[in-house]
Amino acid sequence: MADPTEPVRTRAEIAAAIRAFSPAQWARLRAIAGHYHALGCPMEAKDLLQEAFRRALDERSCPVSVDIVRFLDLAMRSIRDGELKRAKRRPVLVSPSPAEGAPAPDAIDPAPNAEERLTAADEDGARERERQEVIGLFADDLAAQVIVEGMMEGTRGEDLRALTDLDPTAYQSKRRLIRRRIEKAIQGIKK
Amino acid sequence: MTTNSNDARDALRRLADALAEDVLSAPDSEILEEAAEIHGDPAKLAADMLKLFEQTMSEQGKERLAAAREAVLADRRQPAAVVRLPPAEARRRLQQLIAADPETARKLTVAARKGEGLSDDDVQSMLEDFEELGVTLPGDTEGPEK
């Protein structure tokens, strides 16, 4: 839980910290944005980063104890979650029949029409295919597949390792393999 | 295991979050190695990312400037706040201003210079003219007392 009394960085301090990023810090940010985009966020990685910069500078409070890369990661996560929620709601603008001679105001119709239902079904189908494709990347490696499915379920830490017979070192190495394989697959899709 | 589309969306989201955690906790050497494999030279990636950040800052700066400009214009469109002094005080102030700035006073009619035959509205109007001309009394900071 954030301490409400903790001082926060000023806009200038946040900008200065970002300008002083090392290549590794920039690489982390780029990798994270790539993962969010490739795994469901409708915004391109660069757009996601730019929006995170904007919010980090003008909207969000950054306590002095929070690492700036983590702070930007949380901003991207929040943007991604907002985009996903919006995609789920899918409100539609319709024009109700106007009273005679009166212009009809636009209104939100929560019930999608047939075409919109088809589009939504296409999107849902695409997400499910993506999920299957990611799992399929590890068809040759049962332990990795179990870990990936566990991550998808929200299992974490020791509970996740306990799903496999791996010791901590082998487990870390497996997680690294998972990350690299997914990153390479993302690049493959883009090329 | 996941069974429907919303679950699929959430499953991908949770996987992305877990991978992001791994990226945040991995050592620099690992991250740089991976970046080199995917994006080429990490120094160039860093330069491109910094450029993206500066571009965002610049766009934000322009937006802020435009907003500030709009605020100034909106302020100018507002009618100036006119402070109406009590008639006696207004006449006293007018005489003081005329005495303090003979140059401007010379442009006024004799009646106006003496403050004779002027209605309260005339006096108020002349005070506003003085204020617009920037004629103030010693001790005024922002024109007549408000």
Side-chain angles (χ1 to χ4, degrees), chain A:
Chain A
M1 187 99 179
D3 174 4
T5 62
E6 186 180 350
V8 294
R9 290 187 173 93
T10 63
R11 187 177 194 274
E13 285 168 344
I14 294 171
I18 292 174
R19 286 190 173 112
F21 274 174
S22 66
Q25 284 173 303
W26 282 123
R28 276 182 220 280
L29 267 186
R30 182 63 186 77
I32 292 170
H35 286 316
Y36 289 151
H37 166 63
L39 297 171
C41 179
M43 287 173 82
E44 291 289 330
K46 282 185 179 173
D47 295 338
L48 188 54
L49 275 164
Q50 279 199 299
E51 185 56 26
F53 291 146
R54 272 191 206 101
R55 293 197 191 180
L57 291 165
D58 280 344
E59 291 177 23
R60 298 173 70 94
S61 295
C62 180
V64 291
S65 66
V66 174
D67 172 68
I68 301 272
V69 177
R70 158 64 85 188
F71 176 59
L72 288 167
D73 164 47
L74 294 175
M76 284 193 278
R77 227 177 258 206
S78 158
I79 296 161
R80 184 267 325 256
D81 290 348
E83 290 293 317
L84 289 178
K85 259 188 204 160
R86 210 185 346 238
K88 265 186 193 175
R89 280 200 301 269
R90 294 190 197 92
V92 208
L93 275 177
V94 295
S95 297
S97 308
E100 192 139 347
D106 285 338
I108 299 288
D109 178 2
N113 61 29
E115 190 184 343
E116 285 149 2
R117 275 198 299 273
L118 275 177
T119 308
D122 282 352
E123 283 173 18
D124 291 346
R127 295 292 89 75
E128 179 56 29
R129 276 194 300 281
E130 280 169 20
R131 189 183 76 84
Q132 294 294 346
E133 279 168 17
V134 172
I135 293 170
L137 289 174
F138 304 95
D140 63 338
D141 188 334
L142 184 61
Q145 201 169 64
V146 167
I147 294 172
V148 167
E149 290 194 272
M151 286 169 155
M152 288 178 167
E153 297 272 325
T155 312
R156 292 173 176 213
E158 197 53 29
D159 290 343
L160 188 55
R161 189 176 74 83
L163 296 174
T164 67
D165 293 330
L166 301 173
D167 63 49
T169 310
Y171 172 71
Q172 280 310 321
S173 159
K174 194 65 81 181
R175 281 191 75 134
R176 186 180 178 203
L177 175 145
I178 290 167
R179 194 173 74 241
R180 292 178 80 124
R181 201 174 280 187
I182 291 176
E183 277 176 2
K184 281 188 179 168
I186 292 169
Q187 277 310 108
I189 292 164
K190 284 181 183 166
K191 282 172 186 168

Side-chain angles (χ1 to χ4, degrees), chain B residues 63-76:
Chain B
E63 281 167 20
R64 283 164 167 245
L65 196 63
R69 208 172 276 149
E70 181 52 38
V72 169
L73 287 175
D75 194 43
R76 279 189 193 154

Side-chain angles (χ1 to χ4, degrees), chain B residues 120-141:
Chain B
D120 289 346
D121 284 344
D122 292 338
V123 171
Q124 181 67 30
S125 166
M126 289 177 70
L127 284 176
E128 286 166 21
D129 290 345
F130 269 105
E131 193 181 356
E132 273 181 28
L133 291 167
V135 179
T136 57
L137 291 173
D140 278 355
T141 48

